[in-house]
Amino acid sequence: MKHYLQHDPWCIVETDFHREFNEITESVMSLGNGRHGGRGSFEEKFSGKTLQGNYVAGVYYPDKTRVGWWKNGYPEYFAKVLNAANWIGIDIDIEYESLDLNTCQVRDFRRVLNMQEGYLERQFVATLKSGKSLKVSAKRFCSIVDDEAGAIRYAITPLNFDARITITPYIDGAIRNRDANYDETFWDEVRKETAYGEAYIELRTRKTGFHVATGMCVSVEQDGAKIDYQSQPIKYEKYVANRISLDCRQGQETAIYKYAVNLSSLNYDPDTIIQKAHQSIQHITRKGFDKMLFEQKQAWADKWKMADIVIDGDVAAQQGIRFNIFQLNQTYTGEDERLNIGPKGFTGEKYGGSTYWDTEAYCLPFYLATADQKVARNLLIYRYKQLGKAIENAQKLGFRAGAALYPMVTMNGEECHNEWEITFEEIHRNGAIAYAIYNYVRYTGDEQYLANYGLEVLIAISRFWTQRVNWSEAKEQYVMLGVTGPNEYENNVNNNWYTNYLAAWTRRYTIEAVATVKALAPDKYADLIDRIHFREEKELATAGQIAEKMFLPQDEKRGVLLQQEGFLDKDLMPVSDIPKGQRPINQHWSWDRILRSCFIKQADVLQGLYFFEDEFDTETLKRNFDFYEPMTVHESSLSPCVHSIQASKLGMVDKAYEMYLRTARLDLDDYNNDTEDGCHITSMAGTWLAVVQGFGGMRVTEEGLSFRPYCPAGWQSLAFKIRYRGALLQITTTQQDVTVQNFSDAPITLSVLGQTITVAGESRQTVGI
């Protein structure tokens, strides 16, 4: 772990310049607004370790898969969210010396991500080899009001010299993805323009044909007053700039304001996209930097009113949860049902930026409780609109009759993961889609969603499960062979408990959903079964039979559910027995050694017990937790949050807190030595779950909403808000009591610490602990 970032309740603070950790800091200090974003890189030149990354949501490239040998059904490409034009660049040259923080002396360095107000700022003093010293202060943000725009204020002050300084704001489209399989360039230039203080470039992706127009406009102030300047327009291949030379005096501040936009053909006709970029630039420059920043602060204040979690008494925990909430709200807004949540968001390129099962299993509950209902609904609509592709994915693998296999990785619904054991075997992702539908309907009461969309998806998924199992004469039960569960440190296993249980549950829920829709919307149901050729009696009977007779491995002696058949043949040992210096094991051990070990990458059996804890008694939950947790290395970002929630459920408060800090500060402290690749955005939703479902004890059951909250040792209080079926509630917990504040007009009845209470509209009620 690394501890160079300062603890602060509202900011991420780096004091002193840590060159060796720069890519980690770039990831942590990323900015975004749901439409575009980028890493916390420097505006000026930097020849040291850096990943200059800017990304536009929904724009991707089908990078040809790189494998040792081909298999039938193998995806032909791995989708990559593209590193787009670098719009933040501002080169500074002082009499033939370039400002480069890797080659000059740096002092008084401070880089701060202000999460409360949504901007990144930096200050430092640089001394060049010539001895000239220059003070720099920079502030930038991606506007969530004008979500295609960003703005920068970059100020320079000579400290011991007068000189003519050349300032070159630019847009660089000659960029590459670091994770390109064949080191290809994914962009072609379409057109470019330059004018006084302005520049525009339009790029088109190869193969997919997305157009992105990036524009900039620059103004300059000296001593706080706007000045005219002469600029030299520059055009190179995929590069446009304005070179500005200014006489700068010792002690005089020169501020460059750079306004930029990124427009994509997802939203604009390619024939007019440059024209629209001009109009967007005019719109934001008329506002000016100060007004844009004021609007940014106001918009973030509105977000924090709903989403903030307040922890009194633990700054590290407070900073961690706010960082996670901040990045989630930067990554996805729910305004566009064509977009989804990439595992790295706008913070890096690993995993391609595509959609995984993380969205349904971890992210959906966050947006259900903290945003308008349409946001979570749009996440499900995204999957519904890709149902046809999911059916095609299943057909490629030999399934038929409308069976659907949702992809492990996708941008357009088509499977595009490039590891066979995940592409072909990690089929539990199908169950996550089904569970998300159940979770949404249970939380919102929106049964109409089942009638309009959800049931069709459930039937297609159930058809897949029906064809994926086979009858074992030896066991006289249905089995599922050759799968990979959530624990990716096991491949090609038989009867993974989580996958089998989820498949059986999906069938049961589908049967329930059929009955619900038949009663709720008989005409829509009749149209659906005719359109998809649903043989109700036969298919439901088969689904029920398989669910009832699904083999679920367990060890009766220990009283635990077995991760898969043969798990007990392993040398069972705790993580504490791994020799010092050999963790993470995925960075020190061979894959062969990992697969033969008992060590678990992430919650597997415990993932299922988290989803379905109401179907098991507390003793079963505890036996399985005590058995599997000591063997879990938590080398997936999705693991600690599940363990934290389960530990809270079982009253294991120290373990719950340990796992919470691990998920909350996973990127801030670089637990797994991989933050430089980007932040773990989808696991950040798991951090929220660890607080709200773990420490807050929130559950939604058929009886309604309930809470069993507590404060970890050292916390004076914990407070969070949730939306629930039109109500807005705040739950505040201290070591002595729990207070429920109802901000809505209507009363709400709920359970707190096992006690049923009714809180009147616009009032509060307190229950003692």
Side-chain angles (χ1 to χ4, degrees):
M1 292 190 294
K2 302 173 182 68
H3 299 289
Y4 68 98
L5 298 174
Q6 305 300 304
H7 290 181
D8 183 282
W10 276 111
C11 296
I12 310 301
V13 182
E14 179 191 25
T15 56
D16 298 328
F17 183 33
H18 300 86
R19 286 180 176 84
E20 70 278 22
F21 300 147
N22 186 55
E23 287 192 337
I24 297 172
T25 318
E26 286 179 342
S27 296
V28 168
M29 298 200 177
S30 296
L31 296 172
N33 58 18
R35 188 71 65 185
H36 74 110
R39 291 166 59 82
S41 309
F42 300 152
E43 289 85 2
E44 69 276 351
K45 292 175 183 175
F46 183 66
S47 59
K49 191 177 182 184
T50 181
L51 172 58
Q52 185 67 252
N54 295 277
Y55 310 96
V56 179
V59 176
Y60 70 94
Y61 179 84
D63 195 13
K64 184 173 174 57
T65 299
R66 189 166 192 162
V67 294
W69 66 94
W70 205 261
K71 299 175 178 68
N72 289 332
Y74 204 91
E76 295 184 359
Y77 67 90
F78 187 78
K80 304 288 175 64
V81 170
L82 300 187
N83 196 347
N86 173 15
W87 63 270
I88 71 170
I90 303 174
D91 287 346
I92 305 295
D93 294 286
I94 304 163
E95 295 179 345
Y96 309 108
E97 284 186 287
S98 292
L99 177 61
D100 180 346
L101 267 64
N102 196 48
T103 59
C104 61
Q105 295 180 1
V106 180
R107 63 179 173 87
D108 300 336
F109 183 92
R110 183 177 175 86
R111 180 164 33 172
V112 178
L113 178 66
N114 186 315
M115 301 180 291
Q116 187 171 24
E117 299 181 346
Y119 61 83
L120 174 63
E121 64 179 343
R122 203 165 39 106
Q123 297 88 34
F124 61 88
V125 173
T127 301
L128 308 180
K129 292 180 179 179
S130 64
K132 294 184 176 70
S133 292
L134 184 75
K135 178 183 177 181
V136 175
S137 62
K139 181 180 290 186
R140 80 169 182 263
F141 58 93
C142 290
S143 172
I144 57 173
V145 175
D146 301 293
D147 65 4
E148 293 163 331
I152 302 170
R153 183 186 189 274
Y154 191 92
I156 56 176
T157 305
L159 297 181
N160 60 358
F161 66 93
D162 299 333
R164 191 161 183 82
I165 297 179
T166 300
I167 302 160
T168 310
Y170 63 86
I171 301 170
D172 183 10
I175 34 73
R176 294 176 182 267
N177 273 55
R178 178 181 288 181
D179 67 345
N181 284 336
Y182 294 92
D183 198 30
E184 290 182 84
T185 298
F186 298 148
W187 296 96
D188 288 324
E189 181 183 301
V190 178
R191 62 177 66 89
K192 56 180 175 271
E193 300 176 5
T194 56
Y196 173 76
E198 293 185 59
Y200 300 85
I201 191 164
E202 180 183 347
L203 302 175
R204 179 180 57 234
T205 61
R206 297 175 180 176
K207 296 184 181 179
T208 45
F210 291 105
H211 289 241
V212 174
T214 303
M216 73 171 189
C217 182
V218 178
S219 64
V220 180
E221 290 181 355
Q222 285 188 325
D223 294 328
K226 187 174 181 179
I227 65 169
D228 291 327
Y229 58 86
Q230 292 185 339
S231 68
Q232 177 187 354
I234 300 172
K235 293 181 181 179
Y236 301 134
E237 183 181 1
K238 301 179 186 176
Y239 177 96
V240 289
N242 275 260
R243 183 175 293 145
I244 303 166
S245 293
L246 299 169
D247 290 322
C248 300
R249 300 189 309 275
Q250 180 177 332
Q252 178 187 55
E253 182 185 72
T254 299
I256 303 98
Y257 292 88
K258 183 177 183 181
Y259 305 92
V261 295
N262 283 296
L263 277 59
S264 86
S265 56
L266 281 173
N267 305 300
Y268 297 94
D269 187 326
D271 292 337
T272 60
I273 197 168
I274 282 284
Q275 177 186 346
K276 295 296 184 181
H278 279 272
Q279 294 172 2
S280 295
I281 283 288
Q282 291 169 8
H283 171 69
I284 61 174
T285 53
R286 279 196 297 266
K287 283 188 178 182
F289 185 88
D290 291 341
K291 183 176 181 180
M292 288 183 70
L293 183 59
F294 174 79
E295 292 177 344
Q296 178 82 345
K297 294 176 180 179
Q298 291 296 109
W300 271 107
D302 291 341
K303 285 185 178 291
W304 285 115
K305 282 179 185 177
M306 183 60 247
D308 193 19
I309 290 177
V310 181
I311 297 171
D312 184 14
D314 189 337
V315 176
Q318 178 68 87
Q319 183 185 46
I321 188 59
R322 281 184 174 146
F323 175 67
N324 285 259
I325 293 169
F326 178 73
Q327 291 293 356
L328 283 164
N329 279 300
Q330 287 200 128
T331 301
Y332 182 76
T333 63
E335 295 298 322
D336 191 335
E337 66 188 28
R338 298 169 299 175
L339 302 179
N340 208 281
I341 304 162
K344 296 294 182 185
F346 299 118
T347 73
E349 298 171 13
K350 192 175 181 182
Y351 304 122
S354 302
T355 301
Y356 284 64
W357 69 291
D358 308 14
T359 291
E360 285 72 31
Y362 296 88
C363 299
L364 183 74
F366 170 79
Y367 294 102
L368 273 173
T370 66
D372 188 88
Q373 184 174 317
K374 72 175 183 180
V375 174
R377 202 170 192 269
N378 277 345
L379 286 174
L380 296 182
I381 292 291
Y382 177 90
R383 292 293 194 180
Y384 173 77
K385 289 191 171 181
Q386 294 181 351
L387 177 58
K389 288 287 187 181
I391 292 172
E392 289 180 16
N393 293 334
Q395 289 173 343
K396 291 175 182 177
L397 303 185
F399 297 88
R400 63 191 188 283
L405 175 58
Y406 274 92
M408 187 66 185
V409 175
T410 194
M411 286 297 297
N412 63 1
E414 187 174 32
E415 177 63 75
C416 62
H417 200 280
N418 61 4
E419 295 178 21
W420 70 269
E421 67 272 20
I422 294 176
T423 300
F424 297 154
E425 295 184 351
E426 205 162 330
I427 55 178
H428 64 83
R429 75 251 193 176
N430 243 16
I433 308 296
Y435 186 81
I437 295 170
Y438 162 76
N439 209 5
Y440 170 82
V441 174
R442 177 183 59 172
Y443 194 95
T444 64
D446 182 13
E447 292 184 337
Q448 197 64 48
Y449 179 83
L450 277 178
N452 293 339
Y453 308 105
L455 180 58
E456 185 175 354
V457 174
L458 290 170
I459 289 172
I461 290 173
S462 291
R463 284 171 164 175
F464 172 83
W465 291 130
T466 295
Q467 296 174 44
R468 185 59 171 79
V469 301
N470 59 274
W471 178 255
S472 167
E473 292 291 347
K475 290 182 172 64
E476 295 187 340
Q477 288 181 286
Y478 288 97
V479 297
M480 197 151 2
L481 310 177
V483 303
T484 296
N487 173 28
E488 293 171 344
Y489 289 174
E490 290 275 15
N491 300 152
N492 198 30
V493 302
N494 293 335
N495 294 309
N496 170 257
W497 181 87
Y498 172 74
T499 305
N500 285 19
Y501 195 91
L502 199 52
W505 173 87
T506 300
R507 292 180 177 88
R508 293 195 297 269
Y509 181 54
T510 302
I511 293 169
E512 294 177 14
V514 165
T516 298
V517 173
K518 283 179 71 174
L520 178 68
D523 291 343
K524 286 185 178 180
Y525 179 73
D527 290 341
L528 174 64
I529 63 173
D530 181 62
R531 178 163 53 84
I532 66 173
H533 308 293
F534 182 56
R535 297 168 295 172
E536 179 184 336
E537 184 176 352
K538 180 178 180 181
E539 293 194 48
L540 292 186
T542 301
Q545 180 184 33
I546 294 173
E548 181 181 352
K549 296 184 177 182
M550 178 69 76
F551 175 64
L552 298 167
Q554 57 185 308
D555 176 34
E556 293 184 2
K557 180 180 177 181
R558 292 177 174 83
V560 297
L561 310 166
L562 288 183
Q563 185 172 277
Q564 70 268 345
E565 284 191 284
F567 185 80
L568 295 180
D569 295 334
K570 293 174 174 288
D571 182 9
L572 302 182
M573 56 189 290
V575 171
S576 58
D577 284 357
I578 297 175
K580 187 177 180 179
Q582 294 190 18
R583 295 183 63 189
I585 60 173
N586 62 21
Q587 296 176 20
H588 294 88
W589 288 12
S590 70
W591 193 241
D592 170 73
R593 185 179 180 186
I594 289 173
L595 291 178
R596 288 186 288 107
S597 80
C598 69
F599 298 121
I600 300 168
K601 181 182 180 185
Q602 68 187 84
D604 195 305
V605 169
L606 298 187
Q607 179 78 37
L609 294 178
Y610 160 62
F611 276 169
F612 304 111
E613 68 177 23
D614 290 344
E615 299 179 19
F616 300 89
D617 58 40
T618 302
E619 290 73 20
T620 299
L621 298 177
K622 188 173 190 312
R623 283 195 304 271
N624 282 276
F625 188 92
D626 290 344
F627 181 68
Y628 286 109
E629 204 286 328
M631 293 184 283
T632 306
V633 290
H634 299 294
E635 289 175 12
S636 165
S637 65
L638 300 174
S639 187
C641 61
V642 173
H643 286 247
S644 181
I645 296 166
Q646 287 287 287
S648 285
K649 167 78 174 178
L650 297 170
M652 305 167 69
V653 295
D654 290 342
K655 176 58 70 172
Y657 180 75
E658 174 197 342
M659 289 292 100
Y660 163 73
L661 271 192
R662 180 161 185 155
T663 184
R665 301 193 62 84
L666 179 73
D667 294 309
L668 294 177
D669 295 338
D670 196 22
Y671 264 85
N672 288 338
N673 196 33
D674 61 359
T675 303
E676 66 181 27
D677 296 326
C679 294
H680 298 81
I681 300 299
T682 50
S683 80
M684 291 176 171
T687 303
W688 181 90
L689 292 171
V691 174
V692 175
Q693 294 184 1
F695 304 139
M698 186 181 88
R699 298 292 188 275
V700 178
T701 66
E702 292 183 0
E703 287 73 37
L705 193 61
S706 69
F707 297 89
R708 287 189 174 273
Y710 72 97
C711 277
W715 292 14
Q716 277 72 60
S717 65
L718 164 67
F720 58 87
K721 291 179 182 175
I722 66 156
R723 297 174 188 251
Y724 178 73
R725 300 193 181 188
L728 175 59
L729 307 175
Q730 178 171 292
I731 314 301
T732 303
T733 305
T734 69
Q735 299 291 351
Q736 293 78 37
D737 53 41
V738 179
T739 299
V740 180
Q741 172 78 52
N742 182 3
F743 293 99
S744 309
D745 295 333
I748 185 169
T749 299
L750 65 158
S751 173
V752 178
L753 298 172
Q755 178 180 335
T756 300
I757 64 172
T758 299
V759 185
E762 301 293 345
S763 68
R764 67 178 66 189
Q765 192 164 334
T766 298
V767 176
I769 293 179

